[in-house]
Amino acid sequence: MPASRPRRLRPTRGTVLALSLLLGGSLLAACGSDEPAATGSPATTSATAGGLIAVITPSHDNPFFKAEADSAKVKAEALGYETSVASHDDDPNKQSELIDAAISRKAKAIILDNAGADASIGPIRKAAEAGIPVFLIDREINATGIAKAQIVSNNSQGAQLVAQSFVEAMKSKGNYVELVGKESDTNASVRSKGFADVISQYPDMKRVTQESANWDQQEAFTKMETIIQKNPDIQGVIAGNDTMALGAVAALKAAGLLDKVEVVGFDGSPDAIAAIKAGEMHATALQPAALGAESAVEQADAFIKTGSTSKEEKQSIDCELVTAENADEFGVFARK
């Protein structure tokens, strides 16, 4: 006889409910917010911070500051952040307002090329106390332990490079003029000292005057016009940045003296490199604006995600000498 079939048990309503709850819980666990969905955008985690990074620099009329602002913006957005980009125009009050705005918007970090070594300390401290880390580029402040990083070009090294080239162009003798930048900017004094460290070793080099043109091309042009009238017998001009150097070039050209005077600058701007190729300037020291700005954003990203940059606060990047011999190798504040 065939074996008898087992009785089929009908599930009770309670059993069905229990199974439904169990399966539902499993599905919720598999699709919970702690895990990225199978399709669509990944969930935001500590490794993908997002948020706003504020970029604040001097006026973008100067191609150096525009280059660093553009580079910071591109890098931040590539890392998944929103950006706001603004200029303080070297006005400490406007800088304070922009930093206050970044604080009110709860920015994740501020990338700042500051408006004064002393005047910037208070606003930076205010941001830090609000929990917003500040990463300085190009210009230092006269304090440590407030900003998370101070990333600057090696201004002393760059100044000595260009000063040595200047001395060689002038054959170690002659009268020269020095144009310096803003007194409130530590870069102005560091570069001026770097120039002097080299030129002072050559007793036949005579500085006939030293004038501040505040990093400005028009002011440099005006100052040079007056200097030329008082000192027509000059053989050289050494300027603390390319903008002032180009102002000097224009004044010398207007006076018919450009072919008798060696001019050097500092920054490595595209306009200065074009002037070097045209034989209107002898040399400049290129400081890598893009590299410094990108590094600041990368360190801000690391700090936002981990609470550390793994770097010293004070950081410097060496400059490169640009002359007619290698000018074709450089682009916008960087090697091609």
Side-chain angles (χ1 to χ4, degrees), residues 35 190 225 330:
E35 295 293 336
V190 171
E225 282 188 317
F330 295 90

Side-chain angles (χ1 to χ4, degrees), residues 228-266:
I228 290 167
Q229 291 171 4
K230 295 179 180 178
N231 303 277
D233 185 27
I234 58 172
Q235 289 80 48
V237 176
I238 189 166
N241 77 345
D242 287 338
T243 308
M244 295 187 297
L246 291 166
V249 165
L252 290 164
K253 190 184 292 187
L257 296 173
L258 186 58
D259 60 342
K260 300 176 182 178
V261 182
E262 301 291 348
V263 181
V264 299
F266 196 111

Side-chain angles (χ1 to χ4, degrees), residues 122-174:
I124 293 170
R125 181 182 284 113
K126 184 177 181 180
E129 290 173 349
I132 300 174
V134 180
F135 296 80
L136 300 180
I137 53 176
D138 181 45
R139 301 171 176 176
E140 297 176 308
I141 56 172
N142 291 328
T144 57
I146 304 172
K148 294 302 178 186
Q150 300 193 48
I151 306 168
V152 300
S153 298
N154 191 337
N155 285 281
S156 179
Q157 171 260 353
Q160 291 178 31
L161 271 181
V162 81
Q164 188 61 57
S165 184
F166 181 60
V167 169
E168 291 168 4
M170 290 185 63
K171 299 179 172 56
S172 305
K173 62 183 180 181

Side-chain angles (χ1 to χ4, degrees), residues 70-84:
D70 289 348
S71 297
K73 175 181 170 65
V74 169
K75 174 59 72 173
E77 292 178 356
L79 290 171
Y81 295 92
E82 299 175 56
T83 58
S84 66

